[in-house]
Amino acid sequence: VFKSGSDSFPVDIGGVALVNIGFVWLPVAAAALYPGALRWIGLAWVGLTLINGLSHIVTSIRFRCYNPGLITSIVLFLPFAIWVLDTEVARGALSATEIGAIVLAGILLHVPVAALFVLPYRRGRRAPALTH
């Protein structure tokens, strides 16, 4: 959240809530509650978590500055995603092709986030306010 209220940050507080709660935590919770039926939803969000973690790190390296989500990426997202993928491969539940599909899903799941927040920011505008 850190800078989400400032005009120099691309996302307002409502946008942070939308992405983190609606687009990440609710689908993950649903997949955790129904692991058999929603296995691939959960695995797609593991891909999202992996790509999100990498994108926060790469962005910080590229722009040489902190960005919200960096600490979470290093401490939680990447270790979690790597652990899930390693565990599932070790027990024979995922193939290399399925890992590729998970990574692709993670990339594709970032498209709506980029369209909603990153593109307006790159054009010098803030994303549309999602509050009120």
Side-chain angles (χ1 to χ4, degrees):
V1 173
F2 300 104
K3 297 181 184 179
S4 61
S6 78
D7 289 337
S8 65
F9 191 68
V11 184
D12 68 1
I13 293 171
V16 171
L18 171 69
V19 170
N20 285 293
I21 295 169
F23 194 64
V24 177
W25 297 112
L26 288 178
V28 167
L33 289 172
Y34 304 100
L38 300 178
R39 179 176 187 255
W40 277 99
I41 289 176
L43 290 172
W45 260 261
V46 168
L48 173 78
T49 300
L50 177 69
I51 300 302
N52 184 274
L54 292 172
S55 68
H56 279 288
I57 293 167
V58 168
T59 300
S60 284
I61 292 168
R62 165 70 175 88
F63 295 109
R64 295 183 178 144
C65 67
Y66 172 81
N67 67 69
L70 178 63
I71 302 300
T72 308
S73 296
I74 294 168
V75 174
L76 181 63
F77 291 168
L78 287 179
F80 169 75
I82 291 166
W83 174 78
V84 168
L85 296 174
D86 182 59
T87 301
E88 293 299 292
V89 167
R91 69 182 195 104
L94 286 176
S95 68
T97 302
E98 290 169 324
I99 297 271
I102 291 166
V103 170
L104 179 61
I107 293 167
L108 293 175
L109 287 168
H110 269 86
V111 171
V113 175
L116 189 59
F117 301 119
V118 175
L119 294 177
Y121 181 69
R122 302 257 330 177
R123 291 184 180 134
R125 295 188 302 267
R126 222 179 141 150
L130 296 174
T131 57
H132 300 111

